[in-house]
Amino acid sequence: MSSFPLQGRKTLPARGQPWSELQEAMSALRSADTDWRRGRASLDVYYAGEDVLDVARRAYAMFMSENARAPQFPSLQRMQDDLVQISLSLLGGGREAAGTVTSGGAESALLAVRSAYRAFRARRPQVRRPHLLVPASVDPVYEQAAEMMGLDLIRVAIGGDYRASVQTLSQCVELETMMIVASAPSLPFGAIDPIEALGRLAREREVWLHVDACIGGFLAPHVARFVPNVPRFDLALPGVRSLAADLHKFGYAANGVSVLLYADADDQAHQAFEYNQWPKGTWRTQTLSGSLAGGAVAAAWAVMHYLGETGYRSLAQRVMHLRDRYLEGIERIGGLHVLGQPDLSVIAFGSDEFDIHAIGDAMQTRGWQISRLSAPAALHMTVTPVHDQAVDAYLDDLARCVLTARK
């Protein structure tokens, strides 16, 4: 049943409208949106410059009507194969590794859980209700996956360093544990979980370890070339069986494209679904959705080839330099403290002296889009290249808001 009342419901216009009117109407609609080109958004937009955006836009337009899942477009299948191979080369995939292009991190997560479930069922069919075991910082999409598949999910406390606690997780592994999920990094705190140690635990206890690297997957490999001791989380680590990374984040592609990678193609085989009692014939798919925007695939392919290794490394250097400027600026403001030690570009900071959300409210009145944490109370952001034009203004306004709060 529709939740919209019949009276006043939006209907099709009686006659079509010219583009000039539509453009004006859409410009008016977006007038209240955050101006992300000026670096005032704290999340959700990954902007590497007009040149990269233009490449993505042109590539997207070339394939905007095509379905990348359809077999009649081998060009898009070739692009997907290239995206998977490039991703595997960056993220530790060996000769047996394989992967799939998905519509985003949520689909990657759902498919990974489904693959782990089918593998678990093949090995332990007697277990009535398997469960996922995750740190409290893991993305809620795994709760969604568990609910959709009739599984349980057990969240456990993280350590004082805002990372998964290997000791706590090890105490919670049971016969019913089918999967452990770790983050690289977690969205709330920006800390990469101790994947190497979790891999050892997963192997010892025969549990599937999945790494959610949707944020860091296409940033960390480039950062690791110039920043020492970035924690590893890739497929080459023993025990890691699957890994998800979003191309529309630090791959700087158009929205709607991610990869789900497996250390062993045998595990990917659990992902497939097949039905052969349909009048049209056998239907087989590797994914949940029947369609995938051809434009998103083409844009990701084009941006990756446009930037290349040197372009991504240069952007990574800018991001980490900006992150350090934010961290230093926040620490200089009395009463604020950064939560933990962010490994990449996600930052969270709070206060023991005053209401940090009141500071967030004050920042919003100054035109900043503010992301927040509730436990613990904190303000939050993901640093991207576009913030180079906003970092000083942000820190100045933050200092003024804190001063006002003190008074």
Side-chain angles (χ1 to χ4, degrees):
M1 179 182 293
S2 172
S3 60
F4 295 98
L6 289 175
Q7 186 176 10
R9 177 180 292 175
K10 179 72 173 180
T11 62
L12 278 171
R15 289 182 296 178
Q17 296 173 261
W19 168 245
S20 58
E21 292 181 9
L22 297 173
Q23 185 178 31
E24 184 178 350
M26 288 190 290
S27 296
L29 285 172
R30 78 186 310 185
S31 62
D33 292 355
T34 301
D35 187 357
W36 48 265
R37 278 185 172 85
R38 292 174 55 208
R40 289 188 165 256
S42 59
L43 284 179
D44 301 324
V45 180
Y46 296 79
Y47 176 56
E50 284 300 306
D51 60 327
V52 179
L53 187 64
D54 188 56
V55 167
R57 183 188 295 115
R58 289 170 182 263
Y60 199 108
M62 283 183 66
F63 291 87
M64 65 179 292
S65 297
E66 285 88 339
N67 177 3
R69 303 271 193 247
Q72 61 263 42
F73 303 119
S75 59
L76 287 165
Q77 185 56 60
R78 171 62 187 274
M79 291 183 202
Q80 291 177 78
D81 292 342
D82 287 350
L83 293 176
V84 168
Q85 293 300 317
I86 292 170
S87 301
L88 288 171
S89 72
L90 290 169
L91 293 163
R95 296 176 64 181
E96 304 301 320
T100 305
V101 176
T102 73
S103 61
E107 186 179 22
S108 293
L110 291 166
L111 287 169
V113 173
R114 184 171 181 272
S115 295
Y117 172 75
R118 295 181 75 179
F120 183 88
R121 273 283 175 237
R123 189 166 53 88
R124 293 181 182 171
Q126 76 280 8
V127 175
R128 187 180 63 85
R129 192 174 172 92
H131 66 240
L132 287 72
L133 182 62
V134 305
S137 52
V138 154
D139 195 290
V141 71
Y142 297 94
E143 299 271 1
Q144 183 183 20
E147 180 186 276
M148 291 175 65
M149 298 181 200
L151 305 170
D152 291 327
L153 184 143
I154 300 172
R155 281 185 181 259
V156 302
I158 57 175
D161 58 356
Y162 299 98
R163 305 176 197 275
S165 168
V166 179
Q167 180 179 4
T168 303
L169 288 167
S170 68
Q171 293 170 350
C172 296
V173 174
E174 300 172 343
L175 180 68
E176 294 80 9
T177 305
M178 70 170 219
M179 186 185 216
I180 295 172
V181 182
S183 303
S186 69
L187 179 58
F189 308 113
I192 296 175
D193 289 332
I195 309 297
E196 190 167 2
L198 289 173
R200 289 193 294 269
L201 171 65
R203 293 182 75 196
E204 290 168 3
R205 308 295 285 275
E206 297 182 325
V207 175
W208 186 300
L209 175 60
H210 173 70
V211 177
D212 187 324
C214 286
I215 302 172
F218 291 104
L219 178 60
H222 306 291
V223 171
R225 294 182 178 272
F226 59 87
V227 174
N229 302 320
V230 175
R232 286 187 60 193
F233 57 82
D234 56 71
L235 294 169
L237 291 176
V240 175
R241 291 179 68 170
S242 59
L243 182 151
D246 287 350
L247 282 154
H248 55 233
K249 291 188 171 69
F250 284 102
Y252 304 108
N255 263 304
V257 60
S258 175
V259 291
L260 173 59
L261 308 176
Y262 295 87
D264 193 317
D266 287 345
D267 281 338
Q268 187 189 31
H270 293 293
Q271 183 181 303
F273 175 83
E274 184 173 302
Y275 182 73
N276 58 14
Q277 301 299 312
W278 192 30
K280 192 176 180 299
T282 298
W283 188 75
R284 191 175 192 276
T285 180
Q286 286 280 346
T287 55
L288 298 176
S289 61
S291 61
L292 175 64
V297 170
W301 188 92
V303 168
M304 279 199 139
H305 286 80
Y306 174 75
L307 286 172
E309 187 175 330
T310 56
Y312 277 111
R313 189 181 309 175
S314 176
L315 287 166
Q317 289 170 332
R318 282 174 58 188
V319 166
M320 296 303 284
H321 174 68
L322 287 166
R323 183 210 63 170
D324 290 343
R325 288 175 63 187
Y326 276 105
L327 291 176
E328 292 163 4
I330 291 165
E331 294 285 11
R332 281 199 302 267
I333 299 173
L336 299 182
H337 61 265
V338 175
L339 274 57
Q341 295 181 319
D343 292 306
L344 296 172
S345 68
V346 177
I347 295 172
F349 60 95
S351 175
D352 295 327
E353 296 185 24
F354 38 74
D355 182 357
I356 193 65
H357 290 314
I359 302 299
D361 294 341
M363 289 290 283
Q364 286 189 184
T365 64
R366 292 174 176 265
W368 300 98
Q369 184 265 322
I370 297 297
S371 174
R372 304 167 190 250
L373 304 186
S374 56
L379 303 185
H380 174 263
M381 70 186 304
T382 299
V383 180
T384 68
V386 73
H387 289 111
D388 58 4
Q389 59 186 300
V391 56
D392 291 329
Y394 180 95
L395 292 171
D396 287 345
D397 280 351
L398 183 61
R400 292 188 183 99
C401 292
V402 168
L403 182 61
T404 300
R406 287 181 178 281
K407 291 181 180 180

